[in-house]
Amino acid sequence: MKRKQERARQKAMGGSVEREKVMRTVALPEAIVVSELANRMTERVGDVVKSLMQMGLMVTQNETIDADTAELIIQEFGHTVQRVSDADVEDVIKEIVDDEGDLLTRPPVVTIMGHVDHGKTSLLDAIRKAKVVSGEAGGITQHIGAYQVKASNGSVLCFLDTPGHAAFTSMRSRGAQVTDIVVLVVAADDAVMPQTVEAIAHAKAANVPMIVAINKIDKHEANPTKVRTDLLQHEVVVEKMSGEVQDVEVSAATGQGLDELIEAIALQSELLELKANPNRAAQGAVIEAQLDVGRGPVATVLIQNGTLRQGDIFVVGEQYGKVRALINDKGERVKEAGPSVPVEVLGLNGTPGAGDVLNVTETEAQAREIAEYRANAAKDKRAAAGAATTLEQLMANAKADEDVSELPILVKADVQGSAEAIVQAMEKIGNDEVRVRVLHSGV
Ligand code: GDP
Ligand code: MG
């Protein structure tokens, strides 16, 4: 029967020349698009569609078929089937362990944290001698900026400015440990405040060394001693108090102590012995992502290992793409970005989330498959979470909810990080009578 079909097929194609047939082992996931199936068998799409029709299935090349049907087709074409589970698609980006010899020293990634208005942005600006603060909406940091700075001794440092700790935590909860060193900014005229305490907790939880920058030392009401004694209560013992944590008195306004701060960071990073292998497929973490009117989805990515180049195909969280352009922290187009370099990546098919990991893959099919797998897994997870509530629970909740008014809101922000922070803050608002329900958020 098979041979007869084969003959009929060849006759239909009008080809009498026997093509040397290559038998392949075809990796088959739980569902596959017809054209991709043909691709993997290196058969013509038309032939595959035709044999599906012979099986009574009217599908086009862009439709997805299940694994059982695909298996029949693969057998019919004489290839071997290798069933793979959905999660196997991620195997292509499994962590490669670098040889000790390939590792080169990389710059440290420094995050500036601290209470609002204690001078995080000013300090960062003073360090890179540029002015961002005046251009910011309302003087509040809107985006996570990332900048590279060259110290006077030639060593390079990468700085991240955080809009708030919510973003830092959500990034960490997604497994993106991007920071090597935390600089805790405490204003000398204000001492330790709630967000200072939060920042300390975050740094400790992330197991990242901390350097205390006592800022606004130029002010006459500055009291650095109070800062140091306050910190003691939170188990941060600075060097001046015969502890281990480096502390530096600085002024973002006058520039006092900045060199000492950079020196302290350089010293700390030497102790950490940070290494990466620039000669491998890039891996990085998204620090910020936005939907730009002119440029489409844009992600600020901190490269953690390897080198990202123009033209590279990658998967990032539930999105994928091909690097169309790379833009560095100075707004210049660059061809590549190595370890500890922050770059804006253009060429994504959607907006990833902050903390999503970027991996370069060999083919676009791989990248797309991984992205689709992740999106489906996330969808299944959400659906499963919804299904977990029983009808009784639902009724009970509905009854309890009767007395509570709801304010449904849509959150639309310019960047992912802001949207996330706003949603988290909104969800905490509420009392017995009224609460906020976030219907949807996005950039
Ligand atoms: P952030 O919220 O931590 O990013 O704080 P900003 O960098 O926006 O600074 C808050 C305010 O403190 C601004 O008005 C700055 O001009 C001021 N400021 C920051 N650093 C210094 C400093 O070293 N000395 C003085 N006098 N003012 C400062
Ligand atoms: Mg700021």
Side-chain angles (χ1 to χ4, degrees):
M1 185 62 186
K2 226 173 175 175
R3 239 177 272 130
K4 196 172 151 194
Q5 277 181 348
E6 185 67 44
R7 263 203 305 277
R9 191 180 309 126
Q10 237 148 44
K11 211 162 145 198
M13 286 192 307
S16 52
V17 227
E18 215 31 74
R19 193 153 49 101
E20 187 65 34
K21 195 159 168 118
V22 185
M23 295 307 164
R24 295 179 183 273
T25 306
V26 181
L28 179 61
E30 276 141 57
I32 190 165
V33 176
V34 173
S35 58
E36 176 61 23
L37 175 64
N39 199 0
R40 287 184 190 192
M41 296 191 296
T42 56
E43 301 286 351
R44 290 180 206 204
V45 185
D47 293 349
V48 177
V49 172
K50 207 183 289 170
S51 50
L52 279 163
M53 279 181 181
Q54 277 160 5
M55 285 169 64
L57 276 171
M58 294 299 165
V59 289
T60 66
Q61 53 170 303
N62 297 323
E63 275 174 272
T64 308
I65 54 173
D66 64 50
D68 292 330
T69 316
E71 184 162 351
L72 289 175
I73 297 291
I74 294 169
Q75 280 164 357
E76 183 165 328
F77 281 87
H79 301 284
T80 323
V81 181
Q82 189 200 5
R83 288 270 191 141
V84 292
S85 117
D86 275 356
D88 288 354
V89 298
E90 299 242 14
D91 283 354
V92 291
I93 53 165
K94 277 273 155 65
E95 196 68 39
I96 317 159
V97 181
D98 292 309
D99 276 342
E100 196 63 36
D102 295 336
L103 295 176
L104 299 178
T105 306
R106 68 171 173 84
V109 178
V110 185
T111 305
I112 312 260
M113 294 180 94
H115 196 71
V116 63
D117 276 354
H118 277 197
K120 297 179 292 295
T121 309
S122 309
L123 193 61
L124 196 59
D125 279 351
I127 291 170
R128 68 171 192 141
K129 294 198 179 73
K131 278 269 170 208
V132 177
V133 178
S134 50
E136 269 180 22
I140 298 162
T141 310
Q142 296 279 321
H143 308 203
I144 302 183
Y147 317 101
Q148 275 212 315
V149 170
K150 209 173 227 148
S152 46
N153 68 351
S155 60
V156 176
L157 314 171
C158 173
F159 281 91
L160 302 182
D161 180 23
T162 48
H165 301 146
F168 187 77
T169 314
S170 71
M171 277 174 73
R172 232 168 44 74
S173 71
R174 286 197 199 125
Q177 175 97 15
V178 291
T179 313
D180 301 311
I181 298 166
V182 166
V183 170
L184 180 67
V185 177
V186 190
D189 61 342
D190 206 18
V192 173
M193 295 304 275
Q195 283 173 310
T196 316
V197 180
E198 267 179 47
I200 294 169
H202 286 309
K204 282 192 173 159
N207 206 9
V208 176
M210 197 158 56
I211 295 170
V212 178
I214 304 173
N215 192 30
K216 306 199 188 183
I217 202 75
D218 59 294
K219 286 198 165 181
H220 71 270
E221 62 265 44
N223 186 355
T225 316
K226 182 168 187 306
V227 173
R228 295 192 181 96
T229 43
D230 272 11
L231 285 172
L232 281 177
Q233 290 173 18
H234 302 282
E235 286 160 41
V236 177
V237 190
V238 297
E239 279 180 341
K240 280 259 167 54
M241 294 277 176
S242 10
E244 305 253 286
V245 180
Q246 299 190 73
D247 61 319
V248 189
E249 291 182 9
V250 296
S251 165
T254 66
Q256 183 193 334
L258 292 183
D259 290 336
E260 281 99 318
L261 178 63
I262 289 176
E263 237 166 73
I265 296 168
L267 181 72
Q268 185 64 256
S269 102
E270 261 170 50
L271 292 174
L272 292 171
E273 291 185 13
L274 305 162
K275 298 230 157 101
N277 174 12
N279 301 309
R280 54 167 277 181
Q283 190 222 307
V286 175
I287 341 179
E288 192 50 272
Q290 64 191 93
L291 192 60
D292 194 290
V293 178
R295 303 182 295 172
V298 180
T300 307
V301 177
L302 178 75
I303 308 300
Q304 295 177 295
N305 207 352
T307 301
L308 186 66
R309 296 190 172 82
Q310 209 173 327
D312 276 351
I313 293 161
F314 60 88
V315 55
V316 51
E318 296 169 25
Q319 314 296 342
Y320 67 97
K322 181 173 181 175
V323 180
R324 201 168 71 220
L326 293 172
I327 294 160
N328 72 8
D329 54 341
K330 296 178 197 75
E332 303 156 349
R333 274 179 96 124
V334 288
K335 286 243 146 49
E336 54 177 46
S340 298
V341 177
V343 274
E344 272 192 326
V345 177
L346 273 67
L348 291 131
N349 74 329
T351 319
D356 277 350
V357 176
L358 177 143
N359 288 96
V360 167
T361 60
E362 267 168 36
T363 67
E364 191 172 332
Q366 281 174 347
R368 189 180 52 227
E369 214 166 58
I370 296 167
E372 277 168 6
Y373 160 69
R374 287 179 182 166
N376 282 335
K379 205 158 58 186
D380 289 351
K381 211 161 154 190
R382 277 197 298 273
T389 41
T390 63
L391 192 59
E392 283 97 276
Q393 279 173 327
L394 213 63
M395 301 291 271
N397 281 346
K399 207 156 197 175
D401 284 352
E402 244 169 45
D403 305 329
V404 186
S405 308
E406 233 176 32
L407 176 68
I409 60 164
L410 294 167
V411 177
K412 195 160 176 183
D414 56 346
V415 294
Q416 249 332 312
S418 302
E420 222 156 274
I422 292 168
V423 169
Q424 275 172 11
M426 293 302 262
E427 277 173 347
K428 283 192 203 125
I429 305 174
N431 54 24
D432 295 342
E433 287 165 13
V434 63
R435 69 161 163 251
V436 170
R437 190 154 75 97
V438 180
L439 295 174
H440 184 73
S441 77
V443 294

